[in-house]
Amino acid sequence: MSTVEERVKKIVCEQLGVKESEVQNSSSFVEDLGADSLDTVELVMALEEEFETEIPDEEAEKLASVQDAIDYIVAHT
Amino acid sequence: MSLEGKTALVTGATRGIGKAISLALAQQGAEVIGTATSKDGAETITANFSAAGVSGYGIVMNVADLESIEAGLKEIGDKTGAPLILVNNAGITRDNLLMRLKDDDWGAVLDTNLSSVYRTSKAVLRGMAKARWGRIINVSSVVASMGNPGQANYCAAKAGVEGFTRSLAKEMSNRGITANCVAPGFIDTDMTKQLDENQREAMLKNIPAGRLGQPEEVAAIVSFLASDIAGYVTGETIHVNGGMYMG
């Protein structure tokens, strides 16, 4: 079983169409990985599905980087 | 213009324009689910598909109720697959001069004709975004552009649908999802049969084609907008009105 970090990074790669080598824990979805607002909504939807959880909108807005997403998933699943 | 393998959801499919749209999409190969507000209506829809020798079925869904929409979409998802074509056709009229219009008439028309489009569209977008392909087609009305005495509520709702559609088109275009409106004029359906003889005659005088439109003539445009080759048409309102209004 892959770790949360690996699974989050895999989804980020799939959703944003970036290479694994480009994705660092500190990467910002918008500034570093080129996500637009719709990309970030879709990314959250994909994370919800992968981890079978619901991320409330007010929490979703705070997920700006790969590390934010990993921390959220670890804390809430 | 094959729609083979695609699931299409058509609201208000029991009769009139909705029925014609359902059958037209099914004839293009889509698996069509039509909605009705009653069990009898849903059975009628299923029977309509069988009679035409195409595949599809009816379900009960109240577009004014989010829970009913979600339950219906779950049923469709389990049975057939997430809809990639949505036709928001369900609509009602509660006509009266504004000075006599009741709050209930205003509220019901806005809810069933406009808020419903918001609810159903939002509910299907996730599946379409995932598929990177989707078609949302909203049935508006020529009166959204022209205005019509006695229909302030209906005109407001339909004009709202057109504005909604343009925003949705801009938001989702780069995901392969288009959103358009079809604005019928005076079509031969139960809804226009409610008009009295004077209203009918006055309308006909203003239609260069000199006749009412047939539901199939609206359905043909919807079929086109649902197809792959219409992928570069989005945020548009296409009028089908025999020349009574030309934008």
Side-chain angles (χ1 to χ4, degrees), chain A residues 15 36 38-39 42 45-46 48-49, chain B residues 125-126 129-130 132 171-172 174-175:
Chain A
Q15 286 295 321
D36 66 16
L38 186 54
D39 288 323
E42 286 189 328
M45 284 174 6
E48 287 178 333
E49 272 175 32
Chain B
L125 272 183
R126 183 183 282 227
K130 263 182 149 180
R132 290 289 188 268
E171 284 184 21
M172 302 308 291
N174 66 355
R175 295 297 189 278

Side-chain angles (χ1 to χ4, degrees), chain A residues 13-74:
Chain A
C13 290
E14 282 170 7
Q15 286 295 321
L16 305 183
V18 290
K19 292 195 199 92
E20 257 184 82
S21 57
E22 294 173 64
V23 181
Q24 308 298 320
N25 287 32
S26 60
S27 300
S28 151
F29 299 129
V30 175
E31 279 152 37
D32 300 322
L33 303 175
D36 66 16
S37 57
L38 186 54
D39 288 323
T40 57
V41 172
E42 286 189 328
L43 181 63
V44 169
M45 284 174 6
L47 290 170
E48 287 178 333
E49 272 175 32
E50 170 72 19
F51 294 99
E52 291 174 1
T53 183
E54 288 228 358
I55 306 176
D57 288 345
E58 58 271 23
E59 294 293 331
E61 284 165 16
K62 293 183 204 152
L63 305 182
S65 70
V66 175
Q67 190 63 50
D68 292 343
I70 295 168
D71 292 345
Y72 181 90
I73 299 296
V74 169

Side-chain angles (χ1 to χ4, degrees), chain B residues 70-243:
Chain B
E70 285 175 346
L73 281 171
K74 186 167 185 313
E75 185 185 339
I76 296 164
D78 292 345
K79 259 195 212 168
T80 316
L84 296 184
I85 299 166
L86 168 66
V87 182
N88 284 305
N89 167 75
I92 58 167
T93 54
R94 295 272 192 91
D95 297 353
N96 215 333
L97 293 173
L98 182 57
M99 291 180 80
R100 292 177 183 279
L101 196 70
K102 303 279 187 293
D103 284 358
D104 278 355
D105 297 332
W106 174 265
V109 166
L110 265 288
D111 197 42
T112 301
N113 294 2
L114 175 59
S115 301
S116 64
V117 174
Y118 150 75
R119 290 186 200 100
T120 54
S121 301
K122 191 175 167 185
V124 299
L125 272 183
R126 183 183 282 227
M128 291 180 182
K130 263 182 149 180
R132 290 289 188 268
W133 196 95
R135 297 283 184 267
I136 294 178
I137 300 151
N138 298 320
V139 179
S140 176
S141 167
V142 68
V143 299
S145 304
M146 292 181 74
N148 200 22
Q151 291 200 308
N153 50 359
Y154 189 73
C155 295
K158 292 302 194 184
V161 167
E162 292 181 6
F164 170 89
T165 304
R166 288 189 280 269
S167 279
L168 178 58
K170 286 199 171 176
E171 284 184 21
M172 302 308 291
S173 286
N174 66 355
R175 295 297 189 278
I177 299 167
T178 67
N180 291 285
C181 289
V182 176
F186 207 32
I187 308 297
D188 192 11
T189 65
D190 291 347
M191 195 184 265
T192 51
K193 285 190 180 84
Q194 288 170 13
L195 298 165
D196 66 36
E197 209 39 53
N198 289 341
Q199 287 172 310
R200 257 176 117 79
E201 267 181 34
M203 280 288 231
L204 272 176
K205 251 186 242 163
N206 293 319
I207 303 174
R211 64 174 178 87
L212 302 189
Q214 293 304 309
E216 292 72 22
E217 293 174 305
V218 178
I221 300 299
V222 175
S223 287
F224 165 70
L225 290 171
S227 70
D228 269 324
I229 57 169
Y232 205 54
V233 181
T234 195
E236 194 56 54
T237 296
I238 300 184
H239 288 268
V240 185
N241 61 33

